[in-house]
Amino acid sequence: MAPQTDIPVAANVLGTIGTILWCVQLVPQIWANWRTKKTDGLPASMMFLWAACGVPFGVYAIIQNFNIPIQVQPQCFGILSIVAWVQILMYSQSDHNADTQPFVTNSNWPTWKATTLGVVVTLAFGGIEAALILTLRVIYERGNETPPMVVGIIASILLAAGLVPPYGEIWKRRGRVVGINWVFLSMDCSGAFFSLMALVAQNTFDILGGVLYIICCALELGIFTSHLIWLLRTRQVRREAKAQGKTFDELAAEYEASGEPFKFAERKSNKDLKKDPRSRELSVLEAGCDSSNEASSREQSDAEKQQAGSAGRVLP
């Protein structure tokens, strides 16, 4: 695809809105991390992959000569992702995170160590991006469109890959979203949408850039949907906990302490189950409880159908 030469005003306006949102979308998340000093549920791999995504994304946007706001966007996105990643290194203290996240250790990093690593990664990513721009731009101007296309595909893959780890955390918590700030997620999804509309408003729609934003919107809407479903499934349990003056987490902790199976208990990793035999037994009981509930539901449904059929035969 040839680089953009004439950028319409609408594309610049929409791109500016998307850029503003993506320039600050991680600020609420970073603020929440700093205020609570907790990052449980926020995968370090998500932030690192997003930071890495900023490199090919920035190269692609600059080589394609997108409108200026969209060229600036990946740089802000990548830097904020590195800041959030450094926070996870500093605040993550749970063994659970260490078992499931490849960029986290069992204990929190010292501030100086995490910050130094963040600066080194930022400089390295900046150098790689500059080198790729200078190299690939010459190749692209000679008519070879393959390298920029490959870079755009890599950016799309990294962005999508960064949104996969949260689904692992969601699965462990049976659909619940923990640690991800909703303001951040809303701004990020909106930023992707406006950036997509900016591409639509351009004289020529860029397919790879569009795919990048569509992937982001779709996966983030999936996170919203998962938590809404969880809220609906647990409404009765949360209502009971509130009546007792407790939170959902406090009620779940009581079940775990008593050894009773709890339908919405957090799934344990294999390492956690090996450390705590009682957790393994409880996990088996919960699975059995779920199976028995499903079986009783099927039996009740069959009985209702059979009763309805009998009533139909009696009626004239």
Side-chain angles (χ1 to χ4, degrees):
M1 175 182 170
Q4 305 290 326
T5 55
D6 182 24
I7 308 298
V9 175
N12 269 316
V13 172
L14 292 168
T16 300
I17 296 173
T19 297
I20 291 173
L21 289 170
W22 267 27
C23 282
V24 298
Q25 98 277 41
L26 272 168
V27 172
Q29 183 68 60
I30 292 170
W31 169 258
N33 295 344
W34 177 81
R35 183 171 55 83
T36 62
K37 301 296 188 291
K38 289 177 60 179
T39 56
D40 291 342
L42 180 65
S45 50
M46 172 186 180
M47 292 296 109
F48 188 84
L49 288 170
W50 272 12
C53 168
V55 175
F57 187 17
V59 172
Y60 186 74
I62 292 173
I63 290 178
Q64 288 289 342
N65 195 29
F66 288 162
N67 53 81
I68 297 299
I70 289 188
Q71 292 186 34
V72 174
Q73 189 183 85
Q75 325 310 327
C76 299
F77 179 66
I79 291 173
L80 288 175
S81 297
I82 290 176
V83 172
W85 176 63
V86 168
Q87 285 184 318
I88 296 172
L89 295 179
M90 292 167 54
Y91 302 143
S92 182
Q93 297 180 328
S94 66
D95 290 338
H96 174 74
N97 282 349
D99 294 341
T100 58
Q101 298 186 21
F103 302 100
V104 175
T105 56
N106 287 350
S107 59
N108 57 329
W109 287 40
T111 302
W112 70 267
K113 186 177 179 181
T115 303
T116 301
L117 180 60
V119 171
V120 171
V121 171
T122 302
L123 294 175
F125 282 177
I128 292 171
E129 182 175 344
L132 287 173
I133 291 171
L134 294 174
T135 303
L136 298 182
R137 176 177 277 167
V138 175
I139 298 174
Y140 188 50
E141 289 174 351
R142 292 175 181 171
N144 188 348
E145 298 184 2
T146 302
M149 182 177 294
V150 172
V151 168
I153 292 172
I154 292 174
S156 299
I157 292 173
L158 288 174
L159 180 68
L163 283 168
V164 171
Y167 281 91
E169 296 291 328
I170 288 171
W171 178 83
K172 290 164 197 165
R173 293 175 173 83
R174 303 181 186 273
R176 186 185 186 188
V177 179
V178 173
I180 297 179
N181 185 274
W182 294 112
V183 177
F184 143 66
L185 200 64
S186 300
M187 293 175 66
D188 192 60
C189 189
S190 300
F193 174 77
F194 279 105
S195 298
L196 176 63
M197 292 301 100
L199 294 182
V200 172
Q202 291 186 158
N203 296 326
T204 305
F205 180 77
D206 183 78
I207 296 177
L208 283 177
V211 168
L212 188 88
Y213 295 124
I214 290 172
I215 290 173
C216 183
C217 286
L219 291 177
E220 289 180 339
L221 287 174
I223 295 174
F224 279 111
T225 303
S226 175
H227 193 71
L228 287 174
I229 293 173
W230 180 84
L231 289 174
L232 290 174
R233 292 179 62 215
T234 60
R235 61 187 182 279
Q236 184 62 35
V237 176
R238 290 183 293 107
R239 192 179 296 118
E240 293 174 2
K242 185 176 180 181
Q244 299 174 25
K246 303 173 184 176
T247 64
F248 175 86
D249 292 325
E250 290 172 344
L251 187 63
E254 288 183 0
Y255 272 99
E256 184 176 1
S258 64
E260 296 181 40
F262 184 48
K263 182 178 179 181
F264 301 105
E266 182 177 334
R267 292 184 173 97
K268 302 292 184 181
S269 66
N270 291 331
K271 190 172 181 179
D272 289 335
L273 293 176
K274 289 178 182 178
K275 287 181 180 178
D276 188 359
R278 193 178 68 172
S279 295
R280 180 181 291 276
E281 295 174 2
L282 191 57
S283 178
V284 172
L285 288 173
E286 288 167 358
C289 182
D290 290 343
S291 300
S292 62
N293 287 339
E294 291 177 3
S296 62
S297 297
R298 286 196 297 269
E299 291 175 0
Q300 183 178 1
S301 177
D302 292 341
E304 289 175 354
K305 290 179 181 178
Q306 194 172 24
Q307 184 178 3
S310 300
R313 286 193 296 272
V314 172
L315 292 174

